[in-house]
Amino acid sequence: MNKILSAILILIVTQLMMSCEESKMDALDPPEPQVSIDSPRDGATVHELVPILVTILDADTISRVTYLIDDSLHFVDTESPYSYEWETTGYADSSEHTIRVMAYDNSDTVIGLQTITLIVDNSVSHPSQLEIFPISYQDGSFTITWSSSPDSDFASYELYESPVMDMNGSHLIYTSENRGDTIRIVPTVSESEKRFYQVRVKDTWGLYSESGVQVANSYSMFMRFYGGDGQDIGYDVELTSDGGYILAGSSRSNDAGGGDGWAIKTDSNGDVLWNQLFGTTDPDYFRSIKQTTDGGYVLTGFSDHYAWLVKIDSQGNEEWSTRLTNFWGSVGFSVIQTTDGGFIVAGCTDCSGHNSVDSDVLLVKTDSQGNEEWVKTFGGSSGQKGTSVQQTNDGGYIITGNYVFHAWLIKTDGDGNEAWNVTFENNLYSAGHSVEVTRDGGFAIAGYISFSDYEADVLLIKTTSDGTEEWDATFGDTPEWGYIPEIAYSLQQTSDDGFIMTGCYECNNTYGDLFLVKATPQGTEQWTRRYDISQNWHEEGYSVKQTADGGFIIVGERQDNLGDTNVLLLKTDPDGELLNLDG
């Protein structure tokens, strides 16, 4: 029995000794710590400032924890609890990044790590986009306003200015950290300037959003209506030597006899200085006006069944009035003062404002008092009409119109004798409404070319000095232009050697919009502006001129919802923009 008890005691002591040794070994060699990234989760999409939270088991043996982003060391943490705030605003949206957390012991041995992948996308956290409102110009200053930021992490506003719409070459002109500071006045703005502005809003993380681009314009721009409860139309506009404008047309609002010829003088803002009616008890109207060398004006049109020429002084007082030719139903469509101080009128012999089959092109030369010096007609069959005349460099004349349903160009000498004529057929119907002597000595014609009874496009033709066609261009027949007729009534070569035209867009008897189209010197469409002023009613532009500031002045007609028409006068900037409308 004593041996058995002795063996049992030895076994117990041995087990106790082994247990103590194991305890000592455990104390000297603890289990490897476990590194756990608690937040964010693997594969998460993150933005702005991202807290990376780490838990480490048995952390007492840890000397430091490192945080690597895409294998680049970003932070070393030596104190528990372990965490790092990663700013993501400098990374591309939708980019993927590897986050690796490593734990080191006192002997600088890596004793734990974990790796996750995160996707950065700050697009959802950019500041709310602001709106920059239409910019006003007054007394040499632009007033710029924008909406305030609704975001709690708002940091600042930045206002940028550029000379171009795409904001190339923009520069910072103003910064504010005040949320309520949403207005800025830009001083020392001269007339006829155009600038572009954009607001950038930043948040506390450095993220930003940009507003749309807003134009600031100090060009003179306006819209004016003249007339009453009747049919009032403006057919021609000219720049006057005092910086204002002179308009010619007709008015039925104040006349029971079918209408009077109407002349309206305005200042540079379109405000009326004076207006005068001229005519008889029969229908009368003016189609063309020019300022004369004595500061007065000469007008042509139709009165008492004949072509009509009227001279007025600078205040609109009639100096003389004369009937042109003995052709009953004749009309004067275009007048200019000639280099000898007289006048030349182009029109038609028997059209009374319409394209009669018995009509010929009419060309009448008078002296400075309206006395006829000679009369010429040009024509054939099916009706002809001369709609525009200019004096040429050799002292002769160039006339455009139509010949047997085709655009026609006629060149005469100084006595009205035909030098040559050219028709532009293209196997389609066409007409010339306006002609220009171009700076290279050639000619340009604007009008229309027709494909059917319901479809026509604007036609622009450029010729050499002998009438040889250099090129032609059409504007229309596209979804942007529409498939209803477009017609150009007026043409002018612009200061950059291009061309400006106005007329009617999608024109019919009850509907149409006034348009302005700018073409390059080669006839390529540069831009087109369509002015839907009456909203589903009718506007037409009959005459356009480039103004001293590079903009454009247009006269025509506007129909209201009662069917009455008023004279319409528009002033645009050089890009055809029409802002700050009043009238």
Side-chain angles (χ1 to χ4, degrees):
M1 291 292 296
N2 291 334
K3 289 183 179 180
I4 295 174
L5 288 173
S6 297
I8 292 172
L9 289 172
I10 292 171
L11 180 60
I12 292 172
V13 171
T14 301
Q15 289 176 341
L16 289 172
M17 291 177 65
M18 291 179 63
S19 176
C20 290
E21 188 64 22
E22 287 175 359
S23 297
K24 291 179 182 180
M25 292 180 63
D26 287 343
L28 294 173
D29 188 17
E32 183 176 320
Q34 298 180 16
V35 176
S36 173
I37 300 177
D38 300 327
S39 179
R41 59 181 176 79
D42 186 27
T45 298
V46 295
H47 60 274
E48 293 182 346
L49 199 64
V50 182
I52 301 174
L53 306 180
V54 175
T55 298
I56 300 180
L57 300 179
D58 300 323
D60 293 342
T61 62
I62 300 303
S63 63
R64 71 185 189 279
V65 174
T66 60
Y67 297 79
L68 289 82
I69 313 296
D70 298 328
D71 296 323
S72 175
L73 179 63
H74 275 235
F75 183 63
V76 176
D77 197 357
T78 58
E79 294 183 1
S80 178
Y82 299 105
S83 67
Y84 168 56
E85 290 186 332
W86 177 37
E87 186 176 337
T88 66
T89 55
Y91 297 86
D93 290 338
S94 302
S95 58
E96 188 174 279
H97 303 276
T98 300
I99 315 301
R100 179 172 288 114
V101 177
M102 304 175 67
Y104 291 79
D105 65 11
N106 292 323
S107 63
D108 206 30
T109 301
V110 176
I111 55 176
L113 66 87
Q114 184 177 8
T115 301
I116 63 173
T117 299
L118 299 177
I119 299 169
V120 171
D121 187 0
N122 282 294
S123 61
V124 296
S125 57
H126 281 267
S128 300
Q129 190 175 37
L130 304 183
E131 179 183 4
I132 184 169
F133 301 117
I135 298 169
S136 63
Y137 170 75
Q138 187 174 11
D139 299 329
S141 297
F142 289 138
T143 300
I144 306 169
T145 57
W146 57 90
S147 56
S148 62
S149 172
D151 301 330
S152 59
D153 56 357
F154 164 80
S156 67
Y157 300 120
E158 294 178 347
L159 180 63
Y160 289 85
E161 179 184 87
S162 171
V164 291
M165 182 71 177
D166 61 10
M167 298 302 291
N168 278 338
S170 64
H171 61 282
L172 180 65
I173 64 168
Y174 181 64
T175 300
S176 175
E177 296 179 358
N178 183 348
R179 185 193 300 271
D181 191 1
T182 59
I183 184 169
R184 178 66 176 171
I185 295 176
V186 179
T188 64
V189 177
S190 62
E191 292 183 357
S192 305
E193 277 200 68
K194 198 169 186 178
R195 305 178 191 175
F196 299 88
Y197 293 91
Q198 188 174 47
V199 173
R200 177 180 293 181
V201 58
K202 286 186 174 182
D203 64 17
T204 53
W205 313 111
L207 297 175
Y208 67 87
S209 294
E210 294 176 330
S211 71
V213 177
Q214 188 66 259
V215 61
N217 207 322
S218 62
Y219 283 89
S220 169
M221 293 173 289
F222 58 79
M223 177 167 62
R224 298 283 188 266
F225 304 110
Y226 314 104
D229 298 330
Q231 304 298 311
D232 306 304
I233 301 173
Y235 285 115
D236 198 13
V237 61
E238 284 289 319
L239 282 60
T240 54
S241 56
D242 62 359
Y245 308 103
I246 188 75
L247 286 60
S250 66
S251 175
R252 293 186 182 180
S253 294
N254 303 301
D255 177 73
D260 280 334
W262 198 12
I264 306 170
K265 178 67 178 74
T266 80
D267 63 15
S268 60
N269 294 315
D271 296 322
V272 175
L273 300 177
W274 54 258
N275 74 98
Q276 296 285 0
L277 294 170
F278 304 86
T280 66
T281 57
D282 292 314
D284 312 288
Y285 55 81
F286 292 130
R287 293 300 299 257
S288 178
I289 189 168
K290 295 292 185 295
Q291 188 168 32
T292 53
T293 53
D294 63 0
Y297 307 95
V298 65
L299 306 96
T300 194
F302 175 83
S303 177
D304 195 21
H305 307 294
Y306 291 93
W308 187 28
L309 190 65
V310 179
K311 175 67 171 65
I312 61 177
D313 66 17
S314 61
Q315 298 303 308
N317 302 304
E318 182 178 311
E319 295 182 342
W320 50 259
S321 173
T322 185
R323 186 180 82 180
L324 296 177
T325 78
N326 293 316
F327 293 106
W328 192 94
S330 57
V331 178
F333 282 103
S334 178
V335 63
I336 60 170
Q337 187 171 29
T338 53
T339 53
D340 63 1
F343 306 103
I344 192 82
V345 175
C348 55
T349 60
D350 185 18
C351 59
S352 298
H354 303 286
N355 196 7
S356 168
V357 295
D358 297 322
S359 174
D360 287 332
V361 171
L362 176 65
L363 190 66
V364 183
K365 174 67 172 66
T366 79
D367 64 16
S368 60
Q369 298 303 307
N371 301 306
E372 288 183 10
E373 295 183 345
W374 48 257
V375 177
K376 302 290 183 179
T377 61
F378 309 89
S381 59
S382 300
Q384 285 68 233
K385 181 166 61 175
T387 51
S388 179
V389 63
Q390 294 288 319
Q391 191 164 26
T392 53
N393 299 334
D394 61 3
Y397 305 99
I398 191 77
I399 309 111
T400 194
N402 65 286
Y403 176 84
V404 193
F405 307 114
H406 296 298
W408 198 15
L409 195 61
I410 306 167
K411 174 67 173 68
T412 77
D413 62 17
D415 295 319
N417 301 307
E418 182 180 315
W420 50 259
N421 78 88
V422 180
T423 57
F424 304 91
E425 298 187 9
N426 298 320
N427 298 317
L428 297 167
Y429 296 128
S430 60
H433 285 151
S434 185
V435 65
E436 277 278 290
V437 179
T438 54
R439 294 185 185 92
D440 61 2
F443 309 108
I445 310 165
Y448 74 89
I449 186 167
S450 178
F451 306 97
S452 69
D453 291 340
Y454 303 101
E455 185 179 352
D457 287 340
V458 169
L459 175 65
L460 177 62
I461 300 171
K462 175 67 175 67
T463 79
T464 61
S465 60
D466 62 1
T468 301
E469 183 176 324
E470 293 184 285
W471 51 259
D472 66 72
T474 58
F475 305 86
D477 198 27
T478 66
E480 292 79 13
W481 275 85
Y483 297 100
I484 303 175
E486 290 89 34
I487 301 170
Y489 293 112
S490 180
L491 165 73
Q492 189 184 45
Q493 190 172 30
T494 51
S495 57
D496 62 358
D497 290 334
F499 301 95
I500 193 73
M501 295 175 285
T502 193
C504 189
Y505 180 113
E506 294 190 352
C507 234
N508 57 39
N509 292 331
T510 59
Y511 177 72
D513 289 337
L514 184 154
F515 75 84
L516 195 63
V517 59
K518 175 68 170 61
T520 67
Q522 294 75 38
T524 303
E525 183 176 339
Q526 192 169 335
W527 49 255
T528 296
R529 304 287 180 252
R530 177 179 179 177
Y531 310 103
D532 186 10
I533 297 165
S534 300
Q535 313 246 329
N536 300 322
W537 289 91
H538 188 83
E539 302 92 28
E540 295 194 47
Y542 293 117
S543 179
V544 61
K545 300 294 188 299
Q546 189 170 33
T547 53
D549 64 1
F552 302 99
I553 189 79
I554 313 155
V555 75
E557 64 173 295
R558 187 281 301 263
Q559 185 182 60
D560 63 22
N561 57 5
L562 299 176
D564 297 326
T565 60
N566 291 140
V567 175
L568 170 63
L569 186 67
L570 301 179
K571 169 64 174 66
T572 79
D573 73 3
D575 296 315
E577 299 290 350
L578 189 60
L579 304 176
N580 308 322
L581 297 184
D582 51 20

